[in-house]
Amino acid sequence: MKIFVTLGSSTQNFNRLLGKIDELIDENIIKDVAVQSNSSDYVPKNYKIKNHLNFDEYEKFVKDCDILITHGGVGSIFDGLINNKKIIAFPRMSEYREAVNDHQKQIVDKFYNEGYILTGKIDELDKLITNIEKFNPKKYKSSNKMFNTKLIDIIEKL
């Protein structure tokens, strides 16, 4: 089972999640893991962090993974949805100084409540991974085509 962990381009660390990934590798719960984190001072014992990925590298990791573990960034979540991945998302939280506010919690809660992703406490990541086989995420349907059609309509009427 290939796992891709992406923490986006935030300048704040997400050491809680990176430490949990290390712990799960130590416990042989996960093995095949690639991690992208733009800025972190966490020094992993069991994996390497890729700080910057170009678009093609990032896209390949998303397409090749079985599970996408991500922060609560809309872009990262949408990348997983568009590629029909099983997603586990955790919001960066202001109380841990991972974010300036808790907007990611609202984002993650919305996607979770609508059945697109899994979430929970970082300490329960092992259970989420173990149970992800049973998770049937709601399929994401893009509204880009409808938006583009309406925009063309408006432009043509000008």
Side-chain angles (χ1 to χ4, degrees), residues 1-44:
M1 175 174 4
K2 285 186 177 182
I3 297 173
F4 179 44
V5 180
T6 181
L7 303 182
S9 59
S10 175
T11 57
Q12 287 140 324
N13 73 56
F14 203 178
N15 292 347
R16 287 185 308 133
L17 180 55
L18 296 174
K20 188 63 176 179
I21 297 297
D22 239 350
E23 185 182 308
L24 296 182
I25 294 170
D26 262 347
E27 295 170 0
N28 287 320
I29 294 170
I30 58 176
K31 292 178 182 163
D32 193 357
V33 181
V35 178
Q36 176 277 322
S37 175
N38 188 48
S39 58
S40 176
D41 56 2
Y42 183 81
V43 179

Side-chain angles (χ1 to χ4, degrees), residues 94-117:
S94 61
E95 71 181 285
Y96 301 106
R97 296 187 177 167
E98 299 161 343
V100 295
N101 60 40
D102 291 331
H103 71 281
Q104 285 195 358
K105 179 155 181 26
Q106 294 169 331
I107 293 166
V108 169
D109 287 349
K110 179 77 171 161
F111 280 106
Y112 171 74
N113 290 333
E114 292 191 13
Y116 290 107
I117 67 171

